[in-house]
Amino acid sequence: MTKMTAAITGIYGWAPDYILTNQELEKMVDTSDEWITSRTGIKERHILKGEGLGTSDIGTEAVKGLLKKTNTLPDEIDLLILATVTPDMLFPASANIIADKVGIKNAWSFDINAACSGFLFALVTASKFIETGQYKKVILIGADKMSAITDYSDRTTCILFGDAGGAVLLEPSTEGYGILDSQNYTDGSGRIYLHQKAGGSVKPPSHETVDAREHYIFQEGQAVFKFAVKGMADVSEEIMERNNLTRDDIAYLVPHQANMRIIDATARRMNLDPKKVMINIQRYGNTTNGTIPMCLYEWEDKLKKGDNLILSAFGGGFTWGSIFLKWAYDPK
Ligand code: UT7
């Protein structure tokens, strides 16, 4: 029997217009363009401005673009999954809100939260619904409005994050394209280094939590950095070895964009030519679930049918993982 795999057959990315530059941040906190650039690689990030706008609005733009581009009708979609850490509200799932806003009525939908590895975890999850033969068209979105949980008085975190998102269409392939292998990990003991202190069931919102600025990202950067460098490099090497891939077999590494130095360390361990690494961190910063789909979207016209891609991420949780994917189509 021919094996069914889940192939990406279309992609669309979206970022809001407003751009927050390093120069502007220099006026907000005690930092410098030189420090931010040398420590992270980031020059600017996009921010979603406007009352009443949230992650679902980013996801909606991405899905609308995807449906149009792939000539897909909302009614054809069987399932919609959103990977995010900044849902519009704690419940209901923002995936439902996106489905409603774009007119997807015959599908079910849900959110996945795996911090910066969310797009990878959700891509593996989504692919299983295709591999079983149950569904023919699944939309997966990775989107975050990180500005909603960023403390713009904390120079150690506010320079890192931005808002953006992307959506992919997944369809069955019987010719060996799409997600061919994956390896994901979590280690909950890492939660102490990267989390949001209040707003959940342990510490519901109160005047005290707001006064203590506990509704923002808390990160011990150095600790996360050490785990991230090792985690992302180890798992990328593991997936290469398991699939007998050498540096020459890989068309691109598609890394989560958290820090240029983490990306470099991963590429070095894979012994990859720097030209084979997708990098747009300088223009978007860390958009959490948006980084990998935004890279794929911006590199789409360079990707050829049969290209081997390695997608890798590390993030809060801790969560980390890698996917081996064979690209399914030539530039259109
Ligand atoms: O995607 C989710 C996973 N997250 C990550 O992967 C992030 C991992 N961590 C990192 O990327 C890095 O740790 C950071 C970019 C967050 C920080 O870089 P670092 O090289 O680890 O800097 P550091 O925290 O060790 O700080 C070095 C110095 C400190 O000053 P002292 O103590 O040496 O005097 C900081 O106070 O830099 C100072 N500093 C800054 N200076 C200017 C921290 N933030 C800034 C800033 N501008 N924005």
Side-chain angles (χ1 to χ4, degrees), residues 29-32 35-36 39-40 115-116 154-161 194 219-226 228-229 256-262 286 288 314-316 318:
V29 288
D30 180 14
T31 191
S32 66
W35 192 95
I36 302 172
R39 299 286 176 127
T40 70
C116 295
D154 173 13
R155 70 172 183 174
T156 68
T157 52
C158 75
I159 53 128
L160 298 171
F161 297 98
L194 180 50
Q219 176 169 255
E220 283 184 36
Q222 260 189 27
V224 178
F225 185 86
K226 278 185 204 137
V229 164
H256 170 54
Q257 315 274 310
N259 187 314
M260 198 50 225
R261 292 181 289 148
I262 300 172
N286 183 351
T288 304
F314 186 96
F318 290 135

mmCIF file of all heavy atoms in Angstrom, residues 29-32 35-36 39-40 115-116 154-161 194 219-226 228-229 256-262 286 288 314-316 318, ligand 1:
data_model
loop_
_atom_site.group_PDB
_atom_site.id
_atom_site.type_symbol
_atom_site.label_atom_id
_atom_site.label_comp_id
_atom_site.label_asym_id
_atom_site.label_seq_id
_atom_site.Cartn_x
_atom_site.Cartn_y
_atom_site.Cartn_z
ATOM 1 N N VAL A 29 14.083 52.476 26.289
ATOM 2 C CA VAL A 29 14.831 51.821 27.380
ATOM 3 C C VAL A 29 16.328 52.066 27.184
ATOM 4 O O VAL A 29 16.750 52.534 26.123
ATOM 5 C CB VAL A 29 14.572 50.278 27.411
ATOM 6 C CG1 VAL A 29 13.174 49.968 27.903
ATOM 7 C CG2 VAL A 29 14.833 49.642 26.056
ATOM 8 N N ASP A 30 17.107 51.710 28.212
ATOM 9 C CA ASP A 30 18.553 51.917 28.152
ATOM 10 C C ASP A 30 19.193 50.795 27.307
ATOM 11 O O ASP A 30 19.584 49.753 27.827
ATOM 12 C CB ASP A 30 19.107 51.897 29.590
ATOM 13 C CG ASP A 30 20.620 52.115 29.604
ATOM 14 O OD1 ASP A 30 21.169 52.529 28.569
ATOM 15 O OD2 ASP A 30 21.225 51.853 30.665
ATOM 16 N N THR A 31 19.219 51.009 26.001
ATOM 17 C CA THR A 31 19.794 50.008 25.093
ATOM 18 C C THR A 31 20.425 50.719 23.908
ATOM 19 O O THR A 31 20.411 51.953 23.836
ATOM 20 C CB THR A 31 18.710 49.005 24.629
ATOM 21 O OG1 THR A 31 19.343 47.916 23.956
ATOM 22 C CG2 THR A 31 17.687 49.649 23.684
ATOM 23 N N SER A 32 21.013 49.934 23.001
ATOM 24 C CA SER A 32 21.607 50.542 21.806
ATOM 25 C C SER A 32 21.433 49.606 20.620
ATOM 26 O O SER A 32 21.361 48.383 20.787
ATOM 27 C CB SER A 32 23.101 50.805 22.031
ATOM 28 O OG SER A 32 23.766 49.567 22.172
ATOM 29 N N TRP A 35 24.146 47.016 20.680
ATOM 30 C CA TRP A 35 23.965 45.886 21.608
ATOM 31 C C TRP A 35 22.949 44.905 21.024
ATOM 32 O O TRP A 35 23.199 43.699 20.963
ATOM 33 C CB TRP A 35 23.479 46.374 22.983
ATOM 34 C CG TRP A 35 23.548 45.295 24.043
ATOM 35 C CD1 TRP A 35 24.564 45.082 24.924
ATOM 36 C CD2 TRP A 35 22.580 44.257 24.290
ATOM 37 N NE1 TRP A 35 24.293 43.984 25.720
ATOM 38 C CE2 TRP A 35 23.075 43.461 25.351
ATOM 39 C CE3 TRP A 35 21.350 43.920 23.736
ATOM 40 C CZ2 TRP A 35 22.378 42.358 25.854
ATOM 41 C CZ3 TRP A 35 20.665 42.797 24.233
ATOM 42 C CH2 TRP A 35 21.185 42.042 25.283
ATOM 43 N N ILE A 36 21.821 45.422 20.579
ATOM 44 C CA ILE A 36 20.744 44.528 20.092
ATOM 45 C C ILE A 36 21.227 43.748 18.863
ATOM 46 O O ILE A 36 21.031 42.533 18.766
ATOM 47 C CB ILE A 36 19.464 45.335 19.744
ATOM 48 C CG1 ILE A 36 18.963 46.118 20.947
ATOM 49 C CG2 ILE A 36 18.369 44.400 19.243
ATOM 50 C CD1 ILE A 36 17.827 47.100 20.645
ATOM 51 N N ARG A 39 24.050 41.143 19.866
ATOM 52 C CA ARG A 39 23.623 40.038 20.739
ATOM 53 C C ARG A 39 22.500 39.206 20.149
ATOM 54 O O ARG A 39 22.288 38.069 20.578
ATOM 55 C CB ARG A 39 23.131 40.573 22.084
ATOM 56 C CG ARG A 39 24.132 41.332 22.904
ATOM 57 C CD ARG A 39 25.151 40.393 23.516
ATOM 58 N NE ARG A 39 26.167 41.135 24.230
ATOM 59 C CZ ARG A 39 26.509 40.909 25.492
ATOM 60 N NH1 ARG A 39 25.937 39.956 26.180
ATOM 61 N NH2 ARG A 39 27.451 41.623 26.062
ATOM 62 N N THR A 40 21.717 39.779 19.215
ATOM 63 C CA THR A 40 20.524 39.042 18.748
ATOM 64 C C THR A 40 20.399 38.970 17.221
ATOM 65 O O THR A 40 19.745 38.080 16.699
ATOM 66 C CB THR A 40 19.221 39.701 19.254
ATOM 67 O OG1 THR A 40 19.040 40.957 18.577
ATOM 68 C CG2 THR A 40 19.252 39.939 20.748
ATOM 69 N N ALA A 115 4.659 27.170 22.959
ATOM 70 C CA ALA A 115 5.563 28.332 22.892
ATOM 71 C C ALA A 115 6.250 28.392 21.516
ATOM 72 O O ALA A 115 5.581 28.204 20.506
ATOM 73 C CB ALA A 115 6.545 28.301 24.046
ATOM 74 N N CYS A 116 7.543 28.630 21.512
ATOM 75 C CA CYS A 116 8.223 28.861 20.223
ATOM 76 C C CYS A 116 8.301 27.614 19.345
ATOM 77 O O CYS A 116 8.611 27.707 18.162
ATOM 78 C CB CYS A 116 9.625 29.411 20.450
ATOM 79 S SG CYS A 116 9.572 31.037 21.194
ATOM 80 N N ASP A 154 11.155 46.742 30.089
ATOM 81 C CA ASP A 154 12.171 45.725 30.413
ATOM 82 C C ASP A 154 13.093 45.531 29.210
ATOM 83 O O ASP A 154 12.729 44.875 28.233
ATOM 84 C CB ASP A 154 11.471 44.406 30.795
ATOM 85 C CG ASP A 154 12.458 43.261 30.969
ATOM 86 O OD1 ASP A 154 13.687 43.520 31.047
ATOM 87 O OD2 ASP A 154 12.002 42.100 31.003
ATOM 88 N N ARG A 155 14.285 46.090 29.286
ATOM 89 C CA ARG A 155 15.183 46.064 28.117
ATOM 90 C C ARG A 155 15.674 44.658 27.769
ATOM 91 O O ARG A 155 16.127 44.411 26.660
ATOM 92 C CB ARG A 155 16.392 46.971 28.351
ATOM 93 C CG ARG A 155 17.367 46.468 29.396
ATOM 94 C CD ARG A 155 18.619 47.317 29.429
ATOM 95 N NE ARG A 155 19.585 46.803 30.391
ATOM 96 C CZ ARG A 155 20.800 47.261 30.556
ATOM 97 N NH1 ARG A 155 21.213 48.272 29.828
ATOM 98 N NH2 ARG A 155 21.621 46.717 31.434
ATOM 99 N N THR A 156 15.594 43.723 28.739
ATOM 100 C CA THR A 156 16.109 42.385 28.449
ATOM 101 C C THR A 156 15.151 41.571 27.565
ATOM 102 O O THR A 156 15.550 40.593 26.957
ATOM 103 C CB THR A 156 16.398 41.589 29.745
ATOM 104 O OG1 THR A 156 15.161 41.285 30.395
ATOM 105 C CG2 THR A 156 17.292 42.374 30.688
ATOM 106 N N THR A 157 13.865 41.964 27.525
ATOM 107 C CA THR A 157 12.926 41.213 26.677
ATOM 108 C C THR A 157 12.295 42.048 25.553
ATOM 109 O O THR A 157 11.984 41.510 24.490
ATOM 110 C CB THR A 157 11.762 40.601 27.517
ATOM 111 O OG1 THR A 157 11.171 41.644 28.301
ATOM 112 C CG2 THR A 157 12.241 39.481 28.411
ATOM 113 N N CYS A 158 12.112 43.370 25.782
ATOM 114 C CA CYS A 158 11.313 44.140 24.805
ATOM 115 C C CYS A 158 11.999 44.296 23.451
ATOM 116 O O CYS A 158 11.345 44.600 22.463
ATOM 117 C CB CYS A 158 10.910 45.501 25.371
ATOM 118 S SG CYS A 158 12.247 46.708 25.425
ATOM 119 N N ILE A 159 13.299 44.061 23.436
ATOM 120 C CA ILE A 159 14.031 44.193 22.164
ATOM 121 C C ILE A 159 13.872 42.950 21.290
ATOM 122 O O ILE A 159 14.220 42.958 20.112
ATOM 123 C CB ILE A 159 15.535 44.437 22.447
ATOM 124 C CG1 ILE A 159 16.051 43.332 23.385
ATOM 125 C CG2 ILE A 159 15.744 45.802 23.096
ATOM 126 C CD1 ILE A 159 17.243 42.657 22.921
ATOM 127 N N LEU A 160 13.342 41.871 21.896
ATOM 128 C CA LEU A 160 13.386 40.574 21.202
ATOM 129 C C LEU A 160 12.164 40.295 20.318
ATOM 130 O O LEU A 160 12.295 39.668 19.267
ATOM 131 C CB LEU A 160 13.471 39.429 22.227
ATOM 132 C CG LEU A 160 14.712 39.402 23.126
ATOM 133 C CD1 LEU A 160 14.541 38.350 24.217
ATOM 134 C CD2 LEU A 160 15.951 39.103 22.289
ATOM 135 N N PHE A 161 10.980 40.739 20.778
ATOM 136 C CA PHE A 161 9.754 40.162 20.209
ATOM 137 C C PHE A 161 9.017 41.058 19.221
ATOM 138 O O PHE A 161 9.124 42.280 19.277
ATOM 139 C CB PHE A 161 8.814 39.756 21.350
ATOM 140 C CG PHE A 161 9.393 38.682 22.223
ATOM 141 C CD1 PHE A 161 10.016 38.996 23.420
ATOM 142 C CD2 PHE A 161 9.354 37.359 21.820
ATOM 143 C CE1 PHE A 161 10.577 38.006 24.218
ATOM 144 C CE2 PHE A 161 9.914 36.356 22.608
ATOM 145 C CZ PHE A 161 10.524 36.685 23.811
ATOM 146 N N LEU A 194 11.356 30.682 31.705
ATOM 147 C CA LEU A 194 10.624 31.426 30.663
ATOM 148 C C LEU A 194 9.128 31.163 30.834
ATOM 149 O O LEU A 194 8.662 30.039 30.617
ATOM 150 C CB LEU A 194 11.115 30.941 29.277
ATOM 151 C CG LEU A 194 10.511 31.564 28.021
ATOM 152 C CD1 LEU A 194 10.515 33.067 28.065
ATOM 153 C CD2 LEU A 194 11.251 31.071 26.785
ATOM 154 N N GLN A 219 11.789 36.150 31.430
ATOM 155 C CA GLN A 219 12.811 35.260 30.865
ATOM 156 C C GLN A 219 14.160 35.464 31.535
ATOM 157 O O GLN A 219 14.602 36.589 31.715
ATOM 158 C CB GLN A 219 12.969 35.513 29.354
ATOM 159 C CG GLN A 219 14.103 34.685 28.726
ATOM 160 C CD GLN A 219 14.117 34.703 27.214
ATOM 161 O OE1 GLN A 219 13.739 33.737 26.575
ATOM 162 N NE2 GLN A 219 14.569 35.802 26.644
ATOM 163 N N GLU A 220 14.774 34.337 31.911
ATOM 164 C CA GLU A 220 16.195 34.387 32.300
ATOM 165 C C GLU A 220 16.971 34.051 31.038
ATOM 166 O O GLU A 220 17.198 32.881 30.704
ATOM 167 C CB GLU A 220 16.477 33.382 33.413
ATOM 168 C CG GLU A 220 15.994 33.852 34.769
ATOM 169 C CD GLU A 220 16.359 32.893 35.887
ATOM 170 O OE1 GLU A 220 17.452 32.285 35.849
ATOM 171 O OE2 GLU A 220 15.524 32.746 36.791
ATOM 172 N N GLY A 221 17.348 35.103 30.324
ATOM 173 C CA GLY A 221 17.882 34.963 28.976
ATOM 174 C C GLY A 221 19.067 34.031 28.845
ATOM 175 O O GLY A 221 19.091 33.152 27.978
ATOM 176 N N GLN A 222 20.045 34.202 29.744
ATOM 177 C CA GLN A 222 21.269 33.396 29.627
ATOM 178 C C GLN A 222 20.991 31.907 29.779
ATOM 179 O O GLN A 222 21.543 31.082 29.051
ATOM 180 C CB GLN A 222 22.253 33.818 30.706
ATOM 181 C CG GLN A 222 23.326 34.745 30.186
ATOM 182 C CD GLN A 222 24.405 34.984 31.222
ATOM 183 O OE1 GLN A 222 24.644 34.147 32.095
ATOM 184 N NE2 GLN A 222 25.039 36.130 31.129
ATOM 185 N N ALA A 223 20.130 31.561 30.756
ATOM 186 C CA ALA A 223 19.802 30.150 30.997
ATOM 187 C C ALA A 223 19.094 29.565 29.768
ATOM 188 O O ALA A 223 19.447 28.488 29.273
ATOM 189 C CB ALA A 223 18.932 30.014 32.229
ATOM 190 N N VAL A 224 18.104 30.312 29.249
ATOM 191 C CA VAL A 224 17.367 29.829 28.073
ATOM 192 C C VAL A 224 18.332 29.681 26.893
ATOM 193 O O VAL A 224 18.271 28.695 26.152
ATOM 194 C CB VAL A 224 16.209 30.795 27.710
ATOM 195 C CG1 VAL A 224 15.482 30.326 26.452
ATOM 196 C CG2 VAL A 224 15.224 30.918 28.859
ATOM 197 N N PHE A 225 19.214 30.643 26.747
ATOM 198 C CA PHE A 225 20.181 30.623 25.641
ATOM 199 C C PHE A 225 20.986 29.316 25.639
ATOM 200 O O PHE A 225 21.124 28.657 24.610
ATOM 201 C CB PHE A 225 21.120 31.832 25.764
ATOM 202 C CG PHE A 225 22.069 31.986 24.617
ATOM 203 C CD1 PHE A 225 21.687 32.671 23.473
ATOM 204 C CD2 PHE A 225 23.349 31.443 24.659
ATOM 205 C CE1 PHE A 225 22.555 32.815 22.404
ATOM 206 C CE2 PHE A 225 24.218 31.579 23.597
ATOM 207 C CZ PHE A 225 23.825 32.271 22.465
ATOM 208 N N LYS A 226 21.484 28.941 26.825
ATOM 209 C CA LYS A 226 22.322 27.720 26.905
ATOM 210 C C LYS A 226 21.534 26.478 26.502
ATOM 211 O O LYS A 226 22.001 25.653 25.719
ATOM 212 C CB LYS A 226 22.833 27.543 28.348
ATOM 213 C CG LYS A 226 24.054 28.389 28.623
ATOM 214 C CD LYS A 226 24.611 28.116 30.016
ATOM 215 C CE LYS A 226 25.405 29.330 30.483
ATOM 216 N NZ LYS A 226 25.158 29.699 31.870
ATOM 217 N N ALA A 228 18.846 26.432 24.692
ATOM 218 C CA ALA A 228 18.391 26.559 23.299
ATOM 219 C C ALA A 228 19.485 26.140 22.319
ATOM 220 O O ALA A 228 19.230 25.408 21.360
ATOM 221 C CB ALA A 228 17.944 27.989 23.017
ATOM 222 N N VAL A 229 20.705 26.601 22.575
ATOM 223 C CA VAL A 229 21.819 26.266 21.673
ATOM 224 C C VAL A 229 21.991 24.744 21.602
ATOM 225 O O VAL A 229 22.094 24.166 20.523
ATOM 226 C CB VAL A 229 23.127 26.949 22.146
ATOM 227 C CG1 VAL A 229 24.332 26.334 21.485
ATOM 228 C CG2 VAL A 229 23.068 28.444 21.859
ATOM 229 N N HIS A 256 13.703 28.363 13.974
ATOM 230 C CA HIS A 256 12.980 29.373 14.764
ATOM 231 C C HIS A 256 13.919 30.566 14.952
ATOM 232 O O HIS A 256 15.116 30.399 15.187
ATOM 233 C CB HIS A 256 12.589 28.774 16.117
ATOM 234 C CG HIS A 256 12.074 29.797 17.070
ATOM 235 N ND1 HIS A 256 11.041 30.645 16.748
ATOM 236 C CD2 HIS A 256 12.464 30.136 18.341
ATOM 237 C CE1 HIS A 256 10.809 31.455 17.775
ATOM 238 N NE2 HIS A 256 11.658 31.167 18.745
ATOM 239 N N GLN A 257 13.347 31.773 14.818
ATOM 240 C CA GLN A 257 14.187 32.981 14.845
ATOM 241 C C GLN A 257 14.104 33.631 16.234
ATOM 242 O O GLN A 257 13.275 34.523 16.464
ATOM 243 C CB GLN A 257 13.712 33.968 13.776
ATOM 244 C CG GLN A 257 13.415 33.340 12.408
ATOM 245 C CD GLN A 257 14.634 33.218 11.519
ATOM 246 O OE1 GLN A 257 15.367 34.166 11.334
ATOM 247 N NE2 GLN A 257 14.844 32.037 10.943
ATOM 248 N N ALA A 258 14.948 33.155 17.165
ATOM 249 C CA ALA A 258 14.959 33.739 18.512
ATOM 250 C C ALA A 258 16.207 34.580 18.721
ATOM 251 O O ALA A 258 16.160 35.617 19.367
ATOM 252 C CB ALA A 258 14.896 32.650 19.570
ATOM 253 N N ASN A 259 17.314 34.091 18.179
ATOM 254 C CA ASN A 259 18.593 34.785 18.341
ATOM 255 C C ASN A 259 19.530 34.288 17.244
ATOM 256 O O ASN A 259 19.673 33.083 17.046
ATOM 257 C CB ASN A 259 19.180 34.461 19.736
ATOM 258 C CG ASN A 259 20.410 35.290 20.034
ATOM 259 O OD1 ASN A 259 21.299 35.426 19.185
ATOM 260 N ND2 ASN A 259 20.469 35.846 21.223
ATOM 261 N N MET A 260 20.156 35.212 16.551
ATOM 262 C CA MET A 260 21.071 34.872 15.451
ATOM 263 C C MET A 260 22.155 33.887 15.903
ATOM 264 O O MET A 260 22.559 33.002 15.156
ATOM 265 C CB MET A 260 21.704 36.199 14.986
ATOM 266 C CG MET A 260 22.331 36.190 13.651
ATOM 267 S SD MET A 260 21.264 35.526 12.403
ATOM 268 C CE MET A 260 22.473 34.495 11.629
ATOM 269 N N ARG A 261 22.595 34.065 17.159
ATOM 270 C CA ARG A 261 23.684 33.194 17.645
ATOM 271 C C ARG A 261 23.210 31.750 17.844
ATOM 272 O O ARG A 261 23.979 30.813 17.674
ATOM 273 C CB ARG A 261 24.252 33.768 18.952
ATOM 274 C CG ARG A 261 25.002 35.095 18.729
ATOM 275 C CD ARG A 261 25.581 35.626 20.023
ATOM 276 N NE ARG A 261 24.547 36.119 20.913
ATOM 277 C CZ ARG A 261 24.600 36.086 22.253
ATOM 278 N NH1 ARG A 261 25.627 35.558 22.854
ATOM 279 N NH2 ARG A 261 23.628 36.579 22.984
ATOM 280 N N ILE A 262 21.933 31.569 18.193
ATOM 281 C CA ILE A 262 21.390 30.206 18.341
ATOM 282 C C ILE A 262 21.275 29.563 16.950
ATOM 283 O O ILE A 262 21.605 28.388 16.749
ATOM 284 C CB ILE A 262 20.005 30.225 19.043
ATOM 285 C CG1 ILE A 262 20.119 30.834 20.438
ATOM 286 C CG2 ILE A 262 19.411 28.823 19.111
ATOM 287 C CD1 ILE A 262 18.773 31.071 21.139
ATOM 288 N N ASN A 286 11.660 37.991 17.179
ATOM 289 C CA ASN A 286 11.085 36.697 17.529
ATOM 290 C C ASN A 286 9.557 36.823 17.568
ATOM 291 O O ASN A 286 9.006 37.442 18.474
ATOM 292 C CB ASN A 286 11.630 36.262 18.892
ATOM 293 C CG ASN A 286 11.136 34.888 19.311
ATOM 294 O OD1 ASN A 286 10.255 34.311 18.677
ATOM 295 N ND2 ASN A 286 11.689 34.367 20.391
ATOM 296 N N THR A 288 7.616 34.224 17.794
ATOM 297 C CA THR A 288 7.200 32.967 18.435
ATOM 298 C C THR A 288 6.631 31.975 17.405
ATOM 299 O O THR A 288 7.394 31.403 16.660
ATOM 300 C CB THR A 288 6.252 33.252 19.621
ATOM 301 O OG1 THR A 288 6.962 34.155 20.503
ATOM 302 C CG2 THR A 288 5.893 32.035 20.434
ATOM 303 N N PHE A 314 13.311 25.853 19.306
ATOM 304 C CA PHE A 314 13.445 25.674 20.755
ATOM 305 C C PHE A 314 12.670 26.797 21.422
ATOM 306 O O PHE A 314 12.719 27.938 20.962
ATOM 307 C CB PHE A 314 14.910 25.755 21.206
ATOM 308 C CG PHE A 314 15.078 25.439 22.670
ATOM 309 C CD1 PHE A 314 15.417 24.155 23.073
ATOM 310 C CD2 PHE A 314 14.864 26.407 23.643
ATOM 311 C CE1 PHE A 314 15.541 23.844 24.441
ATOM 312 C CE2 PHE A 314 14.983 26.109 25.005
ATOM 313 C CZ PHE A 314 15.325 24.830 25.398
ATOM 314 N N GLY A 315 11.956 26.488 22.503
ATOM 315 C CA GLY A 315 11.217 27.565 23.156
ATOM 316 C C GLY A 315 10.756 27.233 24.559
ATOM 317 O O GLY A 315 11.132 26.208 25.141
ATOM 318 N N GLY A 316 9.944 28.120 25.080
ATOM 319 C CA GLY A 316 9.466 28.015 26.457
ATOM 320 C C GLY A 316 8.793 26.687 26.716
ATOM 321 O O GLY A 316 8.175 26.083 25.840
ATOM 322 N N PHE A 318 10.396 23.741 28.838
ATOM 323 C CA PHE A 318 10.966 23.891 27.507
ATOM 324 C C PHE A 318 10.296 22.979 26.470
ATOM 325 O O PHE A 318 9.816 21.896 26.825
ATOM 326 C CB PHE A 318 12.468 23.590 27.528
ATOM 327 C CG PHE A 318 13.288 24.620 28.247
ATOM 328 C CD1 PHE A 318 14.278 24.235 29.143
ATOM 329 C CD2 PHE A 318 13.083 25.975 28.042
ATOM 330 C CE1 PHE A 318 15.044 25.183 29.797
ATOM 331 C CE2 PHE A 318 13.859 26.921 28.691
ATOM 332 C CZ PHE A 318 14.836 26.525 29.567
HETATM 333 O O1 UT7 B 1 12.295 31.937 21.600
HETATM 334 C C1 UT7 B 1 12.132 31.557 22.931
HETATM 335 C C2 UT7 B 1 13.410 31.159 23.524
HETATM 336 N N1 UT7 B 1 14.175 32.308 23.867
HETATM 337 C C3 UT7 B 1 15.436 32.412 23.460
HETATM 338 O O2 UT7 B 1 15.906 31.576 22.755
HETATM 339 C C4 UT7 B 1 16.251 33.568 23.999
HETATM 340 C C5 UT7 B 1 17.569 33.067 24.539
HETATM 341 N N2 UT7 B 1 18.370 34.101 25.117
HETATM 342 C C6 UT7 B 1 18.966 35.086 24.400
HETATM 343 O O3 UT7 B 1 18.766 35.176 23.208
HETATM 344 C C7 UT7 B 1 19.954 35.992 25.095
HETATM 345 O O4 UT7 B 1 20.214 35.495 26.377
HETATM 346 C C8 UT7 B 1 19.487 37.470 25.206
HETATM 347 C C9 UT7 B 1 19.496 38.115 23.843
HETATM 348 C C10 UT7 B 1 18.096 37.514 25.820
HETATM 349 C C11 UT7 B 1 20.467 38.238 26.098
HETATM 350 O O5 UT7 B 1 21.782 38.129 25.580
HETATM 351 P P1 UT7 B 1 22.998 37.705 26.526
HETATM 352 O O6 UT7 B 1 24.202 37.730 25.684
HETATM 353 O O7 UT7 B 1 22.635 36.400 27.175
HETATM 354 O O8 UT7 B 1 23.039 38.899 27.565
HETATM 355 P P2 UT7 B 1 22.948 38.818 29.150
HETATM 356 O O9 UT7 B 1 21.557 38.532 29.576
HETATM 357 O O10 UT7 B 1 24.050 37.947 29.664
HETATM 358 O O11 UT7 B 1 23.296 40.318 29.522
HETATM 359 C C12 UT7 B 1 24.603 40.872 29.307
HETATM 360 C C13 UT7 B 1 24.609 42.319 29.745
HETATM 361 C C14 UT7 B 1 24.019 42.528 31.148
HETATM 362 O O12 UT7 B 1 24.724 43.570 31.757
HETATM 363 P P3 UT7 B 1 25.879 43.271 32.845
HETATM 364 O O13 UT7 B 1 25.181 42.500 33.928
HETATM 365 O O14 UT7 B 1 26.889 42.457 32.121
HETATM 366 O O15 UT7 B 1 26.322 44.632 33.229
HETATM 367 C C15 UT7 B 1 22.612 42.980 30.850
HETATM 368 O O16 UT7 B 1 22.075 43.782 31.888
HETATM 369 O O17 UT7 B 1 23.792 43.100 28.853
HETATM 370 C C16 UT7 B 1 22.812 43.815 29.608
HETATM 371 N N3 UT7 B 1 21.599 43.944 28.784
HETATM 372 C C17 UT7 B 1 21.455 44.922 27.891
HETATM 373 N N4 UT7 B 1 22.229 45.964 27.524
HETATM 374 C C18 UT7 B 1 21.770 46.783 26.560
HETATM 375 C C19 UT7 B 1 20.524 43.131 28.760
HETATM 376 N N5 UT7 B 1 19.640 43.593 27.847
HETATM 377 C C20 UT7 B 1 20.191 44.686 27.292
HETATM 378 C C21 UT7 B 1 19.776 45.593 26.298
HETATM 379 N N6 UT7 B 1 20.586 46.598 25.951
HETATM 380 N N7 UT7 B 1 18.588 45.442 25.646
#
